[in-house]
Amino acid sequence: MKTVFILEDEVGIQEVLELLLSSQNYNVVTFSTVKEFNCREMAVQPDLFMLDVMLPDGLGTEVCRELKCDPITSKVPVLLMSAHAKIIKTDDPHSADDFMSKPFDINDVISKVDKLTALQA
């Protein structure tokens, strides 16, 4: 079973994503803050990080950069989510692998998650 770590401060969105991805046989672990995310069990590595851009104690873009700069997590795909901005994919090796705007389409979520976790196979 593939694992997805979700960093999202809105409980409703967390619950919808967890329910949706669990129904697709993903193991889902959620975090509400950057602080909570940074205190996660580092020995466990997911197949995908899903990060909200705007968080109460930081930015998902900064978390993404940290993940991509860390040799342990640099190869794990990152999907950024935001209701506030569109992010254009760049050739920066420290940028996210994909972007999803909120509100999101359920089929689009599944498609993006399936595509990105396939990279980990």
Side-chain angles (χ1 to χ4, degrees):
M1 181 179 282
K2 296 199 175 193
T3 299
V4 178
F5 282 4
I6 299 174
L7 175 55
E8 168 63 61
D9 61 314
E10 292 185 38
V11 175
I13 294 174
Q14 254 188 26
E15 290 173 349
V16 166
L17 289 171
E18 186 170 11
L19 182 65
L20 175 64
L21 295 176
S22 295
S23 75
Q24 299 295 311
N25 295 317
Y26 286 98
N27 177 40
V28 179
V29 180
T30 60
F31 307 90
S32 297
T33 64
V34 173
K35 182 178 180 181
E36 184 183 342
F37 180 81
N38 286 337
C39 292
R40 72 190 183 280
E41 174 57 53
M42 296 295 186
V44 178
Q45 292 303 320
D47 298 282
L48 175 66
F49 291 105
M50 293 180 72
L51 311 174
D52 186 16
V53 172
M54 301 294 288
L55 296 156
D57 61 343
L59 294 172
T61 51
E62 271 306 306
V63 173
C64 176
R65 184 166 189 72
E66 290 168 13
L67 291 169
K68 291 298 188 177
C69 286
D70 184 334
I72 296 170
T73 55
S74 65
K75 301 290 186 218
V76 178
V78 175
L79 174 61
L80 281 178
M81 309 175 285
S82 180
H84 304 288
K86 292 207 178 248
I87 296 187
I88 298 168
K89 186 172 167 104
T90 67
D91 290 331
D92 179 357
H94 304 120
S95 66
D97 297 276
D98 208 342
F99 175 80
M100 180 173 65
S101 57
K102 297 189 276 183
F104 44 77
D105 177 87
I106 290 173
N107 292 324
D108 191 37
V109 173
I110 294 168
S111 174
K112 285 179 184 287
V113 170
D114 287 347
K115 180 184 89 177
L116 290 168
T117 57
L119 299 174
Q120 292 298 95

